[in-house]
């Protein structure tokens, strides 16, 4: 084998290995997180009973935790007790917790909350507009929004209680 | 297909072409609408490029066209148009609403790319590292053709000289290869030697042929 063969082999193999190495370093199923650090999209949504509406603009100056969930979602049921506990701990300190029902009926959401308990209001999102505005791909997804209205963190899947606590403590 | 059905399909195709080109026919506007809306609905940064659409066939055709270019965020390997997943159905419903409002394909894709990144497009844009996807196949074809060309060139050049010798470090080209065909070099394989019986049979055939041709007698002197 002479140097020309080696050079030709390297010319083909090195770019291939480089491209594959870049690909192996990523989870092909993970969606890119493009919302963190950006201004949280506005929403104006009503609760499950349609009795009270919530507007993000009116919550300016307070940290907001926005949790997208569904009654049919198993990981949502898993994180529910953690969310209740965190809400009970931080709502008295000025953090606003809001749930948004995703791809589900109000009646199912109410039944879930009756069964599993609740500590904060859940809102209806007709047509899933707010979910799409926030780039939600599935549930649960939870957005931590700063008092200035910036998305500080996005949890994909169940929240990590320790990280949530750390984020809220940093904002208070 | 009936003439009416064919006509509706043709009309739908023409309207789809117009809408995808970024415009809408004036007669597609509802009564009282003179142009695109000047304000954007909540969640969108800019107003629609065109007037609202009213023809259901056109709306459905544009919705299908746009959603077939977007990736389902749940099943990922399928387009929003094909996927039955809840997330994809939500996206398709939103696309239908935006199309009805007069948003064109580019505006709708921009909206989803803004929320999900370019990942949401089934055909990645030709920019940054994505160039690899577009350039690599062409590069490999060029490399392959080059390698084939080099191999052929080497074969053609390696032809034995008059003594049957080849350059040092090379093998003589076998009979019937591109080398002998291209150069006409006499590199034909000699026929195998016959046995004594074979030689006798061959000789009898030769004499028979000569006899039939009248060439077996010496020429008479005139």
């Amino acid at each position: 084998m002479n140097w020309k063969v080696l050079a030709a082999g390297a010319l083909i193999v090195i770019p291939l290995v480089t491209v594959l190495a870049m690909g192996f370093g990523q989870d092909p199923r993970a969606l890119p997180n493009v919302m963190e650090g950006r201004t949280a999209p506005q929403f104006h949504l009503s609760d499950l009973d349609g009795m009270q509406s919530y507007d993000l603009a009116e919550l300016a100056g307070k940290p907001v935790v926005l949790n997208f969930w569904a009654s049919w979602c198993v990981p949502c049921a898993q994180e529910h007790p953690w969310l209740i506990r965190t809400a009970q701990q931080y709502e008295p300190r000025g953090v606003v917790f809001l749930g948004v029902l995703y791809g589900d009926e109000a009646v199912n959401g109410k039944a879930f909350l009756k069964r599993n308990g609740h500590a904060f209001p859940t809102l209806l999102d007709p047509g899933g507009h707010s979910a799409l505005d926030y780039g939600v791909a599935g549930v649960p997804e939870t957005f931590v929004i700063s008092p200035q209205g910036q998305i500080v963190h996005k949890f994909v899947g169940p929240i990590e209680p320790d990280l949530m606590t750390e984020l809220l403590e940093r904002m208070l | 297909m009936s003439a009416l059905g064919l006509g509706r399909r043709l009309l739908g195709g023409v309207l789809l072409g117009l809408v995808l080109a970024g415009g809408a026919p004036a007669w597609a506007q509802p009564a009282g609408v003179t142009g695109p809306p000047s304000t954007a609905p909540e969640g969108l940064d800019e107003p629609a490029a065109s007037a609202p659409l009213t023809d259901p066939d056109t709306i459905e055709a544009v919705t299908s066209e746009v959603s077939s270019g977007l990736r389902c965020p749940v099943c990922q390997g399928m387009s929003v148009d094909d996927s039955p997943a809840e997330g994809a159905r939500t996206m398709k419903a939103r696309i239908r609403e935006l199309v009805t409002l007069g948003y064109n394909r580019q505006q709708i894709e921009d909206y989803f790319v803004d929320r999900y990144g370019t990942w949401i497009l089934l055909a990645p844009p030709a920019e940054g590292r994505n160039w690899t996807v577009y350039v690599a196949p062409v590069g490999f074809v060029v490399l392959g053709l080059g390698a084939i060309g080099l191999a052929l060139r080497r074969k053609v050049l390696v032809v034995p000289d008059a003594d049957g010798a080849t350059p040092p470090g090379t093998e003589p080209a076998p009979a019937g290869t591109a080398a002998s065909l291209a150069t006409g070099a006499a590199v034909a394989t000699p026929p195998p030697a016959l046995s004594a019986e074979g030689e006798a049979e061959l000789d009898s055939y030769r004499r028979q042929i000569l006899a039939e041709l009248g060439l077996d007698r010496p020429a008479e002197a005139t």
Side-chain angles (χ1 to χ4, degrees), chain B residues 38 50 55 74 87 146 151 162 171 174 204:
Chain B
S38 57
S50 314
D55 178 55
V74 183
E171 295 291 330
S204 74

Side-chain angles (χ1 to χ4, degrees), chain B residues 136-198:
Chain B
V138 179
F140 283 122
V141 168
V142 170
L143 277 174
L145 288 175
I148 291 169
L150 272 176
L152 283 176
R153 191 176 151 84
R154 284 185 65 173
K155 287 239 173 197
V156 168
L157 287 176
V158 180
V159 176
D161 58 17
D163 301 329
T166 56
T170 61
E171 295 291 330
T177 60
S180 58
L181 293 173
T183 61
V187 289
T189 310
L194 293 174
S195 63
E197 288 175 1

